[in-house]
Amino acid sequence: MKYKVVGLGLVAFAIAGCAGKEEREIASGSFEYLEAAQHKSLDVPEDFDSPNYSQRYILPDVGENAPKDLKGKKLKVTPPSLILPLVAGTHVEEGSEDAKVLFDQVNDNEPLQKTVWDTVLTYLEKSSVGVEKFEKENNILVTDWVTEIREVPSSWYDFTDNLVTVKKKFKFTMTLAPHGRTAALRTELVDYVDEQGRAALDQVDLISKRTAESNFLNNVITEYDFGIRLANTQRIAKIRQGFNTDMGFDADGNPAFVVDAVYENTWPRLLLVLRKMGFDVKDLDQSTGLLFVQYNGIESSWWSGLFGSEDKLDIEKNEYRLQLGGVGEKTTVTFMDNESKPFDAKRITKIFAPFKDFMGNEDLDI
């Protein structure tokens, strides 16, 4: 008899644990409050004074646009999904009710508008979702059908998979700030087909609609994060590999080194090269490309014997200045004395060979 009691308990536990998703989204307990009616106010005889009523617990009137049928089992108790601005350069507006995220400019190599739209298109392509309409000039994109497969709750003893398919379409709208360095991307559910194949957008409750919009936008944010990390990884790999350098001239016609790399990649590589060449950086300003350095003597290296027995550059131990300038896909590096007078061709040629080797050395310890 004891075993029977335990067996019934396990069955009851199994049944309780098989509650469907819909059941978990509604309030549990009694819904008798739906039958409640407004109580009649207290009747006070004319010869008596009316008591003072507290206004503390009076419920506000329901707004004209508020849904009137969200009550009882139709009222979901699950909170709406949140937008997750977990990527550097993303944030949300406090109190915003839209599924919207704001992107700040983090890559100056291309316009922010292009970066965001490329991210959206990349995510859609990876998810095998087509594009129904893309008005780039109006910053509007509407997806094709996004298919979602759901599991329908069944009896606890039914071990077969009951799957249904619903379809959704989303609209992306981008709003650019006047300065062009911040873009707000908003996602909206614009079409919905239920498991019966019927258009049922007007049947989607507010919480479900917001959840669908937020989840879809969060996937785009995740793709944006992946793109940034991938770009950084590729950039670091390029910097590690080194860059070719030739002799040439800067924008002012002064003799200079011409590095075969964009400014953003040349700058960190140069800081490492200068340290290896015996320079200490005393001050720098990446926005203007100016560095103030002190030459203290070059470090011992495997190639020092190739350029003489003494482990030093053919310049005096003194203070110098370097000026970097971006020229398309290349960067010029102009060496100057401590009074900003550029090196002449003869003087800069003396340090070209070690500079070229360090800039192009793939084994540079960084």
Side-chain angles (χ1 to χ4, degrees), residues 80-84 98-100 170 187 208-221:
S81 297
L82 300 177
I83 303 300
L84 304 177
D98 296 329
K100 181 174 65 175
F170 295 91
T187 307
S208 297
K209 184 174 183 292
R210 171 60 188 265
T211 299
E213 295 169 346
S214 299
N215 290 341
F216 203 67
L217 182 56
N218 284 334
N219 291 336
V220 173
I221 296 174

Side-chain angles (χ1 to χ4, degrees), residues 103-107 109-121 134-141 173-177 179-185 224:
F103 295 93
D104 292 330
Q105 183 88 34
V106 294
N107 180 11
N109 293 330
E110 64 180 14
L112 178 60
Q113 179 185 16
K114 182 179 185 303
T115 302
V116 175
W117 280 133
D118 285 351
T119 300
V120 173
L121 293 171
F134 185 21
E135 298 178 0
K136 193 172 183 179
E137 63 281 1
N138 296 324
N139 284 317
I140 294 175
L141 185 148
T173 305
M174 184 191 300
T175 304
L176 283 171
H179 49 71
R181 298 187 63 83
T182 299
L185 185 66
Y224 184 79

